Amino acid sequence: MSIQFGPDYVRAIAPYQGGRPIAEVAREFGLDEARIVKLASNENPLGMPESAKKAIALAIADAGRYPDGNGFELKAALTAKYGVPAEWITLGNGSNDILELSAHAFVQPGQSVIYAQYSFAVYPLATQAVGGRSLVVAAKDFGHDLEAMIDAIEDDTRLIFIANPNNPTGTFIPGHEIESFLKRVPPNVVVVLDEAYTEFLAPELQYDSIAWVAQYPNLLVSRSMSKVYGLAGLRIGYGIAQPGITDLLNRIRQPFNVNSLAQAAAIAALNDTEFVKKSAELNAAGYHQLTQAFDALKLMYVPSCGNFVLVKVGDDDGAGARINLALLKQGVIVRPVGNYGLPQWLRISIGLEEENAICLAALKKALA
Ligand SMILES: *Cc1c(COP(=O)(O)O)cnc(C)c1O
């Protein structure tokens, strides 16, 4: 008999399934890497901004030294951008780090954590890793049902995760609904508002969550540099909250959780408003291109506010896996979402115009 290590709740974790790497798919299907189109991980199809590449080239001279563990310059850039004190900022090795740190800081084994059905896969992972009890609230029209989430709060609830826009469904909660939700959450329950895609929102949908942080000591706003800012490979994100939360996150994070190249690139990217604008415009055009084609193919999709679209590719529970395989064979990588309980759907990230076109042609063939 082999020894079983670790607590039951750790052994019960199903590993995160990411988008498949290009090199891996090329090897498995005997394809040319250069011709593979990857629309599986909601990355920026423009890649890293030139401004960030330049910043990295300069910062590399010092990469033999430890990074600034307090991220002084990056926090100064965030302070300038958002008008919050440096003491309100936590830097993360990706915003994933912020999500994990929240679970570690606020949840004891057995205590409950609330999140929505069909919301980000890291919420159950972070909850389980600390032995938390997941209270999964049924989705409403593929998105968050905030009323039901309030009703789900129990005496031992310590944390609520909300993704806005949500991944993998792309659904959006209007700002005023989140604000009235915050008013009703008990003050001892931390709300993590995960805004990994907020920069893609159309101007009329944008809201000021940073202002709420001043009002709600139990609110933690989480932001990513992986999506619109094009820095996914560097791993950098940040959280904004009052010191009652930020102090704790900073105590349990690794002393050097954000590397020096990521810090340098992030400062450049944060100030690169041209790049962000261009990326958001490209995304809006790509969304139009994909959804028009879905309409023509009579495919149902969930209207999305992110840089991806959830599309239904069949009526049987094998549909997602089957169409995904047919796309892989044609060198197109998208994301099957059976692990989210959506086996009839695929999540397709919005790419460059020609990438979207290749994906759509392959999809048409796969459906035929
Ligand atoms: C992509 C994503 C993140 C994490 O991104 P990082 O690369 O870790 O910054 C967090 N939340 C949601 C909803 C996401 O889709």
Side-chain angles (χ1 to χ4, degrees):
M1 271 259 294
S2 64
I3 302 169
Q4 292 202 310
F5 298 106
D8 293 347
Y9 56 80
V10 170
R11 282 202 303 272
I13 293 173
Y16 180 79
Q17 295 170 350
R20 299 189 61 183
I22 289 176
E24 181 186 295
V25 170
R27 272 195 306 274
E28 185 175 327
F29 294 90
L31 299 165
D32 175 3
E33 269 191 43
R35 296 195 48 216
I36 288 180
V37 169
K38 185 186 175 204
L39 301 173
S41 299
N42 300 346
E43 296 145 338
N44 189 325
L46 296 173
M48 201 191 309
E50 287 305 317
S51 57
K53 287 183 189 165
K54 282 194 193 127
I56 286 180
L58 289 174
I60 211 154
D62 275 331
R65 299 195 184 279
Y66 279 101
D68 175 359
N70 291 316
F72 178 85
E73 288 188 38
L74 175 51
K75 284 184 185 173
L78 289 164
T79 289
K81 193 174 172 72
Y82 296 116
V84 295
E87 296 74 42
W88 289 21
I89 302 168
T90 310
L91 302 179
N93 186 31
S95 63
N96 198 123
D97 201 14
I98 303 293
L99 307 177
E100 294 274 353
L101 288 171
S102 313
H104 281 276
F106 306 120
V107 184
Q108 252 170 242
Q111 292 180 329
S112 63
V113 176
I114 296 178
Y115 50 84
Q117 179 190 23
Y118 310 141
S119 67
F120 191 39
V122 165
Y123 308 155
L125 286 176
T127 302
Q128 264 187 294
V130 298
R133 199 159 54 84
S134 289
L135 301 176
V136 186
V137 175
K140 194 164 107 189
D141 301 328
F142 295 94
H144 293 72
D145 182 346
L146 292 185
E147 284 302 319
M149 291 181 86
I150 287 281
D151 291 342
I153 295 172
E154 297 183 5
D155 287 344
D156 72 352
T157 300
R158 292 293 174 271
L159 190 59
I160 303 177
F161 286 113
I162 307 252
N164 201 41
N166 184 43
N167 173 20
T169 63
T171 53
F172 175 71
I173 311 163
H176 67 269
E177 287 181 28
I178 296 180
E179 203 174 3
S180 72
F181 174 80
L182 290 172
K183 280 193 187 119
R184 292 190 292 155
V185 173
N188 66 331
V189 178
V190 173
V191 176
V192 174
L193 183 57
D194 177 355
E195 299 184 331
Y197 302 96
T198 199
E199 298 86 358
F200 289 108
L201 290 176
E204 67 274 16
L205 298 180
Q206 288 168 13
Y207 57 89
D208 188 1
S209 57
I210 308 285
W212 299 335
V213 171
Q215 228 178 317
Y216 298 97
N218 61 331
L219 175 63
L220 167 62
V221 171
S222 169
R223 297 268 177 93
S224 175
M225 303 288 299
S226 302
K227 308 291 161 56
V228 87
Y229 291 106
L231 304 182
L234 288 171
R235 312 305 302 126
I236 170 97
Y238 56 93
I240 298 180
Q242 289 190 32
I245 286 178
T246 304
D247 274 354
L248 290 186
L249 300 181
N250 271 308
R251 281 187 227 184
I252 60 167
R253 70 174 171 84
Q254 290 181 42
F256 301 104
N257 63 332
V258 180
N259 72 76
S260 48
L261 303 187
Q263 291 187 34
I267 294 167
L270 276 174
N271 293 315
D272 198 338
T273 45
E274 263 314 298
F275 180 80
V276 171
K277 184 165 171 268
K278 188 172 155 194
S279 302
E281 284 168 5
L282 178 73
N283 190 64
Y287 179 76
H288 190 67
Q289 181 187 3
L290 286 181
T291 53
Q292 262 197 332
F294 296 156
D295 285 335
L297 290 166
K298 301 206 163 26
L299 295 177
M300 195 173 151
Y301 59 89
V302 180
S304 173
C305 289
N307 62 346
F308 53 89
V309 190
L310 186 69
V311 60
K312 191 174 180 199
V313 292
D315 293 322
D316 62 288
D317 284 352
R322 186 172 63 242
I323 301 299
N324 180 57
L325 182 63
L327 291 174
L328 284 173
K329 285 179 179 165
Q330 297 177 76
V332 175
I333 315 176
V334 300
R335 184 73 72 92
V337 280
N339 58 323
Y340 281 94
L342 295 163
Q344 305 169 345
W345 301 73
L346 292 174
R347 191 197 68 190
I348 302 181
S349 302
I350 298 168
L352 301 172
E353 185 180 353
E354 52 272 33
E355 292 175 322
N356 298 333
I358 290 170
C359 174
L360 288 167
L363 181 62
K364 210 179 277 183
K365 229 170 130 182
L367 289 165

